[in-house]
């Protein structure tokens, strides 16, 4: 009788231990599932929040573009423009942890590289030498101007080497395209990109003498020295040119360049940067004063 009771006790003890182990395993499994669920909810909520912030930032950046387009419309009413870059004040309140900055850049302050080739594929005998001078001023091999010319025109005879095999045979739509040209690396692109554009009339895109930087001014003519370009810059800082003929009063040499200069810009690059709770969206565009959009890029 004593042995049976002991055996029964052992069986009860074994069953209790097994139940405890199963309970612990179940609790561990449930805890894991709860942790995973909470994590998934957190990740899902965080992703939803980031998506919402990104959408809001994108809409605010578009608002910045719209604000600037109204500003550009007003430029048509001016007889001249005199800034190469401008940060526009934005007084609208988009809510906490939200910021909008809008930068306006004058594309007419830059040299239009598409202008080196006429629409009939002939070399522009004024613009092509100007691009060479610009490259030389920036300590870049001026022969790269010929590679750019081969990239743009549709002729089958290359100006240099085998550049015809590396050609688009049409005007550039964006300055970043010149990175695809053999011989132009990131270092060269970073040197030249602040001074070039692809927007404007291929026949003749005038440079705004009120906004052009020194390298652009010096490239217009071989007789324009750095000293003369600096004289123009110093003069316009206190008294912007109201007409292109006014520049002759600074130096008569400019009288031969009147068809290549202007005092009023017509193409502008707009960069609207919006930030919402650390999420950033940037919209870049190029507009003309007739409100035509030549570039729209979001990132």
């Amino acid at each position: 009788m004593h042995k049976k009771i002991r055996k029964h006790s052992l069986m009860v003890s074994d069953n209790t231990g097994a139940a405890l182990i199963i309970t612990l395993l179940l609790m561990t499994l449930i805890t894991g599932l709860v942790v995973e669920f909470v994590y998934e909810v957190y990740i899902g909520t965080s992703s939803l929040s980031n998506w919402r912030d990104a959408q809001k930032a994108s809409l605010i950046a578009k608002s910045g573009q719209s604000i600037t387009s109204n500003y550009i419309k007003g430029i048509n009413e001016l007889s001249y423009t005199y800034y190469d870059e401008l940060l526009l004040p934005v007084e609208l309140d988009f809510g906490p942890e939200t910021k909008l900055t809008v930068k306006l850049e004058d594309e007419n302050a830059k040299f239009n590289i598409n202008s080196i080739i006429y629409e009939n594929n002939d070399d522009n005998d004024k613009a092509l030498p100007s691009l060479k001078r610009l490259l030389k001023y920036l300590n870049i091999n001026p022969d790269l101007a010929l590679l750019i010319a081969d990239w743009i025109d549709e002729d089958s005879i290359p100006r240099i080497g085998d550049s015809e095999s590396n050609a688009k045979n049409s005007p550039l739509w964006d300055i970043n395209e010149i990175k695809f040209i053999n011989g132009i690396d990131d270092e060269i692109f970073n040197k030249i990109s602040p001074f070039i554009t692809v927007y404007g009339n291929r026949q003749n895109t005038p440079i705004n003498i009120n906004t052009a930087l020194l390298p652009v001014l010096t490239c217009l003519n071989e007789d324009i020295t750095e000293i003369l370009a600096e004289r123009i810059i110093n003069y316009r800082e206190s008294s912007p040119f109201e007409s292109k003929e006014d520049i002759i009063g600074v130096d008569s040499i400019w009288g031969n360049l009147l068809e290549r200069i202007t005092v009023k810009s017509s193409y502008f690059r707009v960069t609207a940067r919006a930030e919402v709770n650390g999420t950033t969206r940037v919209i870049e565009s190029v507009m003309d004063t007739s409100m035509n959009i030549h570039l729209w890029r979001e990132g």
Side-chain angles (χ1 to χ4, degrees), residues 162-233:
D162 60 349
S163 56
E164 186 61 26
S165 62
N166 174 238
K168 179 184 179 183
N169 298 324
S170 65
L172 287 85
W173 289 358
D174 186 271
I175 62 171
N176 287 287
E177 287 184 48
I178 68 171
K179 293 181 180 179
F180 297 113
I181 301 176
N182 290 336
I184 298 181
D185 54 21
D186 288 341
E187 181 181 358
I188 291 175
F189 176 79
N190 292 334
K191 280 185 178 181
I192 193 176
S193 59
F195 309 108
I196 60 174
T197 183
V198 297
Y199 303 103
N201 187 340
R202 284 181 66 185
Q203 299 301 115
N204 179 35
T205 303
I207 301 294
N208 189 339
I209 54 174
N210 279 324
T211 59
L213 298 178
L214 189 145
V216 179
L217 289 174
T218 58
C219 85
L220 287 175
N221 187 282
E222 59 184 4
D223 294 325
I224 300 176
T225 63
E226 192 172 275
I227 294 175
L228 178 55
E230 288 176 346
R231 189 187 306 167
I232 296 300
I233 293 173

Side-chain angles (χ1 to χ4, degrees), residues 117 120-123 146 149-170:
I117 301 296
N120 64 1
N121 287 318
D122 287 342
D123 292 354
L146 301 178
D150 283 334
W151 178 270
I152 296 172
D153 75 13
E154 299 178 10
D155 289 341
S156 59
I157 301 176
R159 293 168 179 79
I160 181 171
D162 60 349
S163 56
E164 186 61 26
S165 62
N166 174 238
K168 179 184 179 183
N169 298 324
S170 65

Side-chain angles (χ1 to χ4, degrees), residues 101 135 147 235 255 265 286 299:
T101 58
L135 293 171
L147 293 178
Y235 181 93
S265 300
V286 173

Side-chain angles (χ1 to χ4, degrees), residues 8 13 16 24 44 55 147 155 183-184 186 209 227 252-253:
H8 178 72
S13 177
T16 302
L24 290 175
Q55 293 301 304
L147 293 178
D155 289 341
I184 298 181
D186 288 341
I209 54 174
I227 294 175
S252 60
I253 192 175

Side-chain angles (χ1 to χ4, degrees), residues 242-274:
E242 297 185 21
S243 72
K244 60 184 182 181
E245 289 78 12
D246 291 344
I247 198 171
I248 300 176
V250 180
D251 196 296
S252 60
I253 192 175
W254 290 93
N256 299 321
L257 297 170
L258 292 183
E259 78 280 2
R260 301 189 63 194
I261 61 176
T262 185
V263 295
K264 184 176 180 179
S265 300
S266 53
Y267 291 86
F268 298 89
R269 184 179 298 270
V270 181
T271 305
R273 179 185 181 90

Side-chain angles (χ1 to χ4, degrees), residues 3 9 54 143 228 232 234 240 258:
K3 290 181 180 180
S9 298
D143 285 343
L228 178 55
I232 296 300
N234 292 333
L258 292 183

Side-chain angles (χ1 to χ4, degrees), residues 67-129:
I67 292 169
T68 309
S69 66
N70 292 328
Y71 186 87
I72 293 175
K73 285 181 182 178
I75 293 177
N76 262 337
E77 302 175 3
L78 304 175
S79 60
Y80 62 93
T81 47
Y82 56 90
Y83 49 81
D84 65 303
E85 184 175 305
L86 180 68
L87 285 177
L88 296 181
V90 180
E91 299 178 355
L92 298 177
D93 183 7
F94 295 100
E97 301 299 323
T98 301
K99 182 180 180 181
L100 171 64
T101 58
V102 181
K103 183 172 69 172
L104 186 68
E105 296 177 82
D106 180 9
E107 290 293 294
N108 285 98
K110 306 171 185 178
F111 178 84
N112 182 1
I113 55 177
N114 280 330
S115 68
I116 65 177
I117 301 296
Y118 287 125
E119 293 181 0
N120 64 1
N121 287 318
D122 287 342
D123 292 354
N124 185 325
D125 59 358
K126 295 180 180 178
L128 185 55

